[in-house]
Amino acid sequence: MMHTYFFILTAILYLGCALLPSRQRKTISTVVALAWLLHGAALWADVVGPDEVRVGFSMMLSATLWVSVAAYWLENRNYTLDGLRVLVLPTAALTVLLPGLFPGNMVSLVGKSPVFLWHIVISILAYSTLTIAAFHAVLMVLQESRLHTRPGSAHTTWFGAALDRLPALLTMEKILFRLIAFGFLLLTLTVASGVVFSEELFGTAFKWDHKTIFTMLSWALFGLLLIGRKWQGWRGRTALSFTLTGFAILLLAYVGSRFVLEVVLHRVLV
């Protein structure tokens, strides 16, 4: 299919931008924007059909890196994020190819409300944004740990060099909370649409299954973190702990179970 070639071309462009020297800032910005548009178009063509929609862990990962590249591109206009560029773009190049290896399964849209498709799209964007926030939090933990490592005490690896090129921790924290706020908004829309339109979306009344419980718990943790940030000034280790815990619970709600079902158990479920 044509979108398969778009995925391959996107991966090549992402890798090329990761390898370009940082002084070619304008070229990198332009090519990344082009690759991101190709990635989004190919992902939409692969996921959304006339009467069906594809779901699966590989599609989720690809969508996650699509959002991640967008976040990098936007924030790079305000800060110098070469450290993130050499980490995000190669990862995006890899994940953009995963749907070809693990295609997931198709869910029929016949007889479904238009709300169903938008519920899926918003939930994917919510999970993706909060996944990026968790990845960002891990980088901050590693960055802080590296600051306490004495210069010359260990050999500098490629990854260590990338960490050294990240913005200051305060800047990284500002980016983190912007990601969390946006992800929380999307997750709120996901939860609200799932509760209010449950019967219309899924054909059954709202029920408390494992996915719902984990999603609601994650939503509560991220909400509490944003409230604590605004009223108590939470930051640093507290913010990182809440972010990683909230993400781990969200992972249990969807991506983790999908991976086990599709790859380990070779089962296809909606």
Side-chain angles (χ1 to χ4, degrees):
M1 294 183 182
M2 183 62 68
H3 57 261
T4 301
Y5 296 107
F6 282 167
F7 281 142
I8 295 173
L9 177 58
T10 299
I12 293 172
L13 291 175
Y14 280 155
L15 280 176
C17 288
L19 296 174
L20 284 174
S22 57
R23 64 177 178 274
Q24 297 188 22
R25 186 182 179 92
K26 290 185 178 179
T27 300
I28 291 171
S29 179
T30 302
V31 177
V32 167
L34 174 61
W36 181 81
L37 290 174
L38 285 174
H39 188 176
L43 193 60
W44 182 268
D46 185 53
V47 170
V48 181
D51 300 308
E52 55 189 4
V53 60
R54 186 186 305 279
V55 295
F57 88 94
S58 61
M59 175 273 298
M60 287 287 295
L61 289 177
S62 184
T64 296
L65 268 298
W66 181 73
V67 175
S68 183
V69 171
Y72 152 75
W73 189 85
L74 289 171
E75 294 293 350
N76 195 51
R77 300 171 68 86
N78 301 316
Y79 310 104
T80 301
L81 300 178
D82 273 339
L84 285 180
R85 172 172 64 92
V86 299
L87 293 173
V88 169
L89 295 185
T91 307
L94 175 63
T95 57
V96 78
L97 300 174
L98 284 180
L101 299 174
F102 305 102
N105 60 291
M106 304 301 293
V107 177
S108 176
L109 296 176
V110 176
K112 300 285 188 181
S113 165
V115 179
F116 181 77
L117 177 59
W118 288 109
H119 172 80
I120 292 177
V121 170
I122 293 172
S123 65
I124 289 172
L125 291 176
Y127 290 137
S128 299
T129 305
L130 293 173
T131 299
I132 298 162
F135 173 74
H136 193 87
V138 170
L139 285 181
M140 289 177 64
V141 171
L142 296 175
Q143 184 183 17
E144 184 179 17
S145 175
R146 189 166 178 81
L147 289 175
H148 296 295
T149 302
R150 290 189 303 173
S153 62
H155 177 67
T156 301
T157 62
W158 167 83
F159 185 71
L163 290 177
D164 290 339
R165 293 163 63 185
L166 291 176
L169 275 171
L170 185 60
T171 299
M172 293 283 285
E173 188 174 81
K174 290 179 180 178
I175 296 173
L176 174 66
F177 274 97
R178 278 201 283 266
L179 289 170
I180 292 174
F182 183 58
F184 178 75
L185 172 62
L186 293 174
L187 190 60
T188 301
L189 293 175
T190 300
V191 171
S193 62
V195 172
V196 176
F197 300 105
S198 180
E199 192 162 350
E200 188 175 358
L201 287 170
F202 310 113
T204 60
F206 175 74
K207 60 181 181 180
W208 289 94
D209 55 15
H210 80 282
K211 186 184 296 185
T212 300
I213 293 172
F214 283 136
T215 300
M216 294 289 282
L217 182 56
S218 178
W219 174 82
L221 283 174
F222 282 117
L224 181 60
L225 172 58
L226 291 174
I227 292 173
R229 168 74 169 185
K230 181 174 179 60
W231 298 106
Q232 299 295 326
W234 288 357
R235 56 189 304 271
R237 290 285 180 175
T238 300
L240 298 180
S241 297
F242 265 85
T243 302
L244 295 177
T245 303
F247 168 71
I249 294 172
L250 196 61
L251 190 67
L252 290 174
Y254 185 83
V255 181
S257 59
R258 278 282 173 189
F259 180 83
V260 172
L261 289 172
E262 294 176 22
V263 179
V264 179
L265 301 180
H266 301 287
R267 293 172 58 188
V268 177
L269 295 176
V270 177

